[in-house]
Amino acid sequence: MDALLHNPVADMYGPNFLLLYGTVIVATLLLCERLVQDPTKNQPLPLIPAEPDPYKIAYLRSQATGVAHLVLFNLIQQGYLQVSEQTISQAPNHPDTSNLQPVERQVFERLSEPATAKTSLWLATQCVQSFCKAYQEQLHNEQLLYGAKWQEWNIKVGLVGAMLIFGLGGYKLLIALGKGRYNVGFLIIIGVSSIIYLLWFVSQHKFLSHLGKRYLQQLQTTFAQLRETSILSNNLLVVALFGVESLAGTTYDSYYKAFFPPAYSRTSSRSNRSSSSSCSSSSGCSSCSSGSSCGSSCGGGCGGCGGGGD
């Protein structure tokens, strides 16, 4: 018992212990960061296929939402769906649905009634969930997605590190309080802060592995020219790689605007309200001695002064 109360750590002067504690915390954080697992860091990049699957790439980039966007856009591109401002609906004279893939037909039938772009995307995302499982399995096998086992290992590493920081800091805190020393605020702050940061760091949900991130970047670099040329046959691949934003200013700009409506209309509306408010709050016809100046100010908004001279 005496050894717990009197030893180099227990008897260490406060500032000296804080220096030691800080060193232990930094060393623990660096070690945990090194132990956080991603076996794909040094793996070579896979070869780019001659004909990449846009749906597989869309899932790699944006998961089920990316696939849903691609299905919607493909249906619009083939004339099955149409876009009117921020509403997506079935086209009146759409082609025969027997030519559609099962997932495309399911999304098309789900949109039997016109819906907003966001609602349509949500409905499509629900439809493609089962369709995405095959791509998820393929990408996991290729180690392009972050494995669940790696995440479990990271949590264990974080918990061990947190216990080390908590154990050393808690031990010194109890010794200090037992000796009647209560100036332990800084000790508590750095201990709690480091534990919170460590647990946050190791528990971050990662979708792509290091290899997956590099592979996606390689794909985007390789096919970057498609985004500029907007070759019709590769529109699906462009959207899969770069998202709906890549359609801005193209033939399918309406689909882009359905999800990213232009802001100028709202800005213009706010400007008009501000102008109207400014007009009414200025001298506001309280003095009509200037006559014509009142009529010309604010675009004639003070027309009520016309009879003020009588």
Side-chain angles (χ1 to χ4, degrees), residues 174-191:
L174 292 176
I175 294 296
L177 294 177
K179 294 180 178 180
R181 297 171 184 169
Y182 301 103
N183 54 338
V184 292
F186 190 63
L187 171 65
I188 295 174
I189 290 173
I190 62 174

Side-chain angles (χ1 to χ4, degrees), residues 97-152:
T97 58
S98 62
N99 298 321
L100 293 175
Q101 296 182 24
V103 66
E104 294 171 342
R105 189 182 303 112
Q106 187 178 356
V107 171
F108 175 77
E109 293 172 354
R110 191 73 181 272
L111 297 177
S112 57
E113 298 293 334
T116 63
K118 291 184 178 180
T119 301
S120 300
L121 179 62
W122 181 81
L123 292 172
T125 302
Q126 303 305 308
C127 292
V128 303
Q129 291 292 346
S130 58
F131 174 71
C132 291
K133 290 181 180 179
Y135 288 126
Q136 185 181 27
E137 185 176 349
Q138 290 178 30
L139 293 169
H140 265 303
N141 292 337
E142 296 169 8
Q143 293 194 328
L144 298 176
L145 302 184
Y146 201 83
K149 292 182 178 179
W150 305 342
Q151 189 65 44
E152 292 174 4

Side-chain angles (χ1 to χ4, degrees), residues 32-89:
C32 289
E33 183 179 358
R34 191 174 185 84
L35 290 175
V36 165
Q37 197 175 56
D38 191 338
T40 68
K41 287 184 178 180
N42 299 319
Q43 288 187 12
L45 287 167
L47 296 175
I48 296 177
E51 296 183 3
D53 184 346
Y55 286 114
K56 183 177 179 180
I57 294 174
Y59 186 79
L60 180 67
R61 181 181 181 272
S62 304
Q63 304 175 56
T65 302
V67 175
H69 259 306
L70 208 59
V71 171
L72 287 175
F73 173 67
N74 196 23
L75 289 171
I76 291 171
Q77 189 174 234
Q78 295 183 65
Y80 290 93
L81 297 178
Q82 62 183 5
V83 181
S84 177
E85 296 183 350
Q86 295 183 40
T87 301
I88 296 178
S89 59

Side-chain angles (χ1 to χ4, degrees), residues 8 25 165 206:
I25 288 175
I165 295 172
K206 299 178 182 179

Side-chain angles (χ1 to χ4, degrees), residues 16 19 27 41 55 81 129 177 201 214 225 269 295:
N16 294 337
L19 179 61
K41 287 184 178 180
Y55 286 114
L81 297 178
Q129 291 292 346
L177 294 177
F201 175 74
R214 290 189 292 125
Q225 189 177 1
S269 176

